[in-house]
Structures are given as C-alpha cells and as structure tokens.
Amino acid sequence: MKVVKFGGSSLANGPQLEKVIKIMQADDQRQILVVSAPGKRAADDIKVTDLLIQYAAEPTSEVLQKKLYDRYWEIAAYFELPVEKFSQIDAQIKKLALTTFANQADQLAAFKAHGEKLNAMLIALIFNHLGLPAIYADPKALGILVTGTADSAQVSEFTYQNIKRFPFDEEYLIVPGFYGYTADDQIATFARGGSDITGSIMARGLKASLYENFTDVSAIYAANPSIVAHPRAISQMSYKEMRELAYAGFQVFNDEAIIPAIQGNITINVKNTNDPSAPGTLIVPDTALTTTHKITGVANSNRFAAIYLHRYLLNKEVGFTLKILQILLKYNISYEHMPSGIDDLTIILDKSQIDTNIIQLAMAEIQQAVKPDILEWYEDYAIIMVVGEGMRDQVGVLADILNALSSRNIGVKMINQGASRIAVMVGVAQADAADAVAAIYTDCTN
C-alpha cells in the first residue's frame, strides 16, 4: 500500500485533478490519497486557504461564500458532478458562518482547515461519481489526535493506533491534510507543511510501503534553480540530509513533515504531478543510502537573526550560558543555534518565531545579568547549509567552502559544523546569500 499526497497546485482545478486521478489509477498500490486545499490556478489567483482566512474575518460575507462556492463548483462541474451531490459542499461553507467558537484562534484554525476538508469531501464525491469507490476519511474518524495550540498542532502517539483500526477494504481513502482534533474535539492545524505532515502520519500509521509526495517539480535539486542554473537533480538522499536542507530553505518538503516517516522507517518519493513518469527523488533511511556525491545540496534562508555578545574570559565563568538561557526561557524565545568562542557567543534565532520588542526586553536583561563588553542584535543574517553524507569522511571540506567564498569576496560571520559531520552551517550577510550558494555549488559539489 502506498500513501500519496498532492499539494495545492496539483489540485487547483479540474484538469489538474484529472491528472491526479490518472496517477492514482496507474498503480494499484496507490490507495490512500491525502489532499491539500486548491492552490492558485494562475500567478494572480488566490489560494482557497487565503479566501478562508478572509472568510474567518467576515463570516457573514455572502461575497466570500460565493467565491468559495465557485472555486469548488468549478472543479465539480469539470467532472459533471450533479448539483444535488455538490450541495453538501455548499452546506459546509454556509455552516462555518453559523458555528460558534471558544476563541478567535480556534475559529481561524477551523476555517483554514476547511480548505482541505471540503476538497477531500469533493474529491471523494467525484471518485464515486466516476465509478471509483472512495471513502472520505475525516481526521476525526481516523482518530488523528493532536496536542499544542490551535495553529501549531503536534500529533499524539495514540493517533497511529487509531489509524490502524480505521475500517476500509479496497476503496480509495481520501484524507484531508493539514489538521487534526484536540482532546476537547477542536480542530487544530499543523504549523507548516500541514498536508505533508498528514501524509507522513498516514504512511506511518498504515505502515505503507512508500509515501509518494507529488509537487510541481520533477525532483529535489542540489541548489535552488532560481539561484543556480540547471542544478543537479538529487536521485536519492537520507532523512538527515532532507531535514537539514528543508530547515535551511528547501521548499519542496517541510522539515517537520518527515518525522513520522522517519519513525516508521518509510521511504519517501518526491515526484511531479505534471511529469509522473520522472523518477523523482527518494528520501531513504540512512542505512539504505547509496552516496554518489560529497555534497548533496546547498540551501539558504534569510529568516534568521542573531544576538552577538563579547566578553573577555566568558568561557571561565560557570553558569554564564545558563543565565542567558534562563532569560530566553522567561520570554519564551527558542534559539536555533549557539556557536561560541572563548570570548564570544552568537545566539541564532528564527525571526518568524519572535517579536522584535520582546527581543529588546530580553537583551536588556542579558546586559544586566552577564554584563558583556559588546551586545548587538544582527538583523542582516542569512544561513547557508552545505549538506552531504559524503562529507562525513572527507578531508578539506571546510577549506573548500571557505575558499569558494573568499574567492568571491564574501565575508563569513559564522561557521559551524554539526556533530553528525554531514552539515556545515555558514552565516553571511543577506545580500551575499545567493552568491554564496552559487559559489559553493560551483566549486564544491562536483
């Protein structure tokens, strides 16, 4: 059995869904279909999820109800689905406006989740209309239980036992991605890459032979094609490599989404909806990896910032770092990395997860608590990740990376090699990030 997930661009309209149906029919093992909300039909279009966010702010808006109705009806009409069968989609759209929620966060999560919910319901109706027996499997019925907040759900271990018990035989199972249910029966959405996470959860729960993740690219590439012309397609990579690269900016697969698949030891195949015969990229357990290149990929992200402090002999003071961590804890600030020297410490943070005003309060307390000689906040910070299982036993990788950057006059703010020895992190100015990726890819990946 294979679990197959399709993203929003693959489900944006009727012709795209027709491709999805043909892909499902092409392999008898493809039985579980995890779907996203319909994405953009063109560059100037709006995603259904964004329409639902607007709808949550104006739940009495008949204009927004009509826009949502039209998006789904366009797909239904392409397959000549009878209007009386489509009426349940219309009813769900209107029901949202009449539902009472405990707070605004719960309301927004429920509205956003309906992009996937309504699409899965519709696709199940279309499958059955076409003579393809299918079951709509809501996360509540599947027992996808989550903890955490309304917009940052974490899957519960009980989920996997629940999924195993879900009754189905030879039917297609159509599953909405992106959300689960809390213990008090409220919808909560996964933070990022939600449908990818659901696909991974289903693959682990059903012990799938393969998790196929269909996107709009034919492979994962060794560098961003918008930075490097015609980068090498990666035929195979390890879980660890994918996690490192996704964390640093690879957008094809979310870094959190891979975790249930890792736990279930399930191979993932990233493929292209518009070119399904292309082999794509396999993401495999470390023990199954065949290494063909020293460096698998180079990625960059500008979402980082850093607190830098300098004080002579800070390495001699017991509890120095603990004092700083206690202040970060007080302000609920999670740090990403903390490279240090004998007199220097850099605390790298994810800007998307923090409030600048809170940072200033935290820095004021750090100044008071540890009295550094220099304490600075760096907004202009980009991270370059150079990743490859083949680097593990190679001599001179760091030298090659630094030579590539030096030859282009790119300054390095920080460099750190992970304990696993398969990743090197380089900090540069944001303006240099793209040039740094191109330099490292050109000089170091062959």
Side-chain angles (χ1 to χ4, degrees), residues 84-155:
E84 60 269 19
K85 291 185 178 180
F86 183 79
S87 62
Q88 60 184 278
I89 306 299
D90 184 30
Q92 284 287 327
I93 293 171
K94 292 174 179 175
K95 182 181 176 183
L96 265 176
L98 304 174
T99 305
T100 301
F101 297 93
N103 53 59
Q104 192 173 10
D106 284 350
Q107 180 203 28
L108 183 58
F111 272 68
K112 289 194 299 183
H114 270 70
E116 280 74 11
K117 180 182 178 74
L118 294 172
N119 210 25
M121 291 174 64
L122 176 59
I123 290 170
L125 289 169
I126 290 170
F127 267 58
N128 284 301
H129 175 65
L130 297 175
L132 304 170
I135 298 171
Y136 164 67
D138 190 82
K140 182 184 290 187
L142 286 164
I144 298 181
L145 300 175
V146 297
T147 58
T149 60
D151 62 350
S152 187
Q154 301 292 323
V155 66

Side-chain angles (χ1 to χ4, degrees), residues 52 164 182 289 359 365 407:
L52 284 160
K164 288 177 186 177
T182 64
L289 180 69
I359 284 295
E365 287 204 24
S407 67

Side-chain angles (χ1 to χ4, degrees), residues 75-358:
I75 298 170
Y78 182 87
F79 294 96
E80 300 181 347
L81 184 73
V83 68
E84 60 269 19
K85 291 185 178 180
F86 183 79
S87 62
Q88 60 184 278
I89 306 299
D90 184 30
Q92 284 287 327
I93 293 171
K94 292 174 179 175
K95 182 181 176 183
L96 265 176
L98 304 174
T99 305
T100 301
F101 297 93
N103 53 59
Q104 192 173 10
D106 284 350
Q107 180 203 28
L108 183 58
F111 272 68
K112 289 194 299 183
H114 270 70
E116 280 74 11
K117 180 182 178 74
L118 294 172
N119 210 25
M121 291 174 64
L122 176 59
I123 290 170
L125 289 169
I126 290 170
F127 267 58
N128 284 301
H129 175 65
L130 297 175
L132 304 170
I135 298 171
Y136 164 67
D138 190 82
K140 182 184 290 187
L142 286 164
I144 298 181
L145 300 175
V146 297
T147 58
T149 60
D151 62 350
S152 187
Q154 301 292 323
V155 66
S156 165
E157 282 295 313
F158 293 110
T159 292
Y160 301 108
Q161 294 300 319
N162 295 338
I163 289 173
K164 288 177 186 177
R165 292 193 291 264
F166 187 82
F168 70 102
D169 189 12
E170 297 182 357
E171 305 94 341
Y172 289 105
L173 216 58
I174 316 296
V175 182
F178 187 40
Y179 71 99
Y181 283 84
T182 64
D184 57 354
D185 208 28
Q186 296 297 311
I187 286 176
T189 59
F190 298 114
R192 294 181 298 149
S195 293
D196 288 343
I197 294 173
T198 301
S200 198
I201 289 167
M202 292 299 298
R204 178 185 165 187
L206 294 171
K207 296 183 178 179
S209 60
L210 185 67
Y211 172 26
E212 293 182 311
N213 192 291
F214 279 83
T215 67
D216 54 5
V217 295
S218 294
I220 299 173
Y221 295 97
N224 188 336
S226 67
I227 295 175
V228 175
H230 311 296
R232 182 185 76 248
I234 302 170
S235 60
Q236 189 182 102
M237 63 198 309
S238 70
Y239 292 148
K240 288 180 181 177
E241 289 174 325
M242 184 69 251
R243 286 267 294 153
E244 296 279 6
L245 289 167
Y247 169 78
F250 271 33
Q251 299 298 315
V252 175
F253 210 102
N254 175 267
D255 60 301
E256 295 178 18
I258 202 172
I259 293 174
I262 293 173
Q263 293 166 336
N265 208 41
I266 293 161
T267 295
I268 300 167
N269 195 183
V270 177
K271 294 175 69 69
N272 189 348
T273 305
N274 302 310
D275 186 14
S277 61
T281 298
L282 288 173
I283 306 170
V284 301
D286 302 349
T287 54
L289 180 69
T290 301
T291 302
T292 56
H293 292 85
K294 176 175 62 178
I295 291 174
T296 300
V298 186
N300 71 288
S301 175
N302 290 347
R303 74 177 194 271
F304 297 100
I307 298 172
Y308 167 76
L309 61 86
H310 170 89
R311 203 186 81 181
Y312 289 114
L313 302 177
L314 68 79
N315 64 312
K316 299 293 186 181
E317 182 177 330
V318 175
F320 183 89
T321 306
L322 177 60
K323 292 176 184 178
I324 296 172
L325 292 177
Q326 287 173 331
I327 294 169
L328 297 183
L329 175 62
K330 174 183 175 180
Y331 288 98
N332 197 33
I333 299 170
S334 174
Y335 76 92
E336 301 290 316
H337 307 279
M338 194 181 290
S340 63
I342 59 171
D343 299 321
D344 303 271
L345 183 68
T346 301
I347 305 167
I348 299 172
L349 309 170
D350 184 342
K351 287 190 293 189
S352 66
Q353 304 296 316
I354 56 177
D355 183 293
T356 303
N357 293 327
I358 296 296

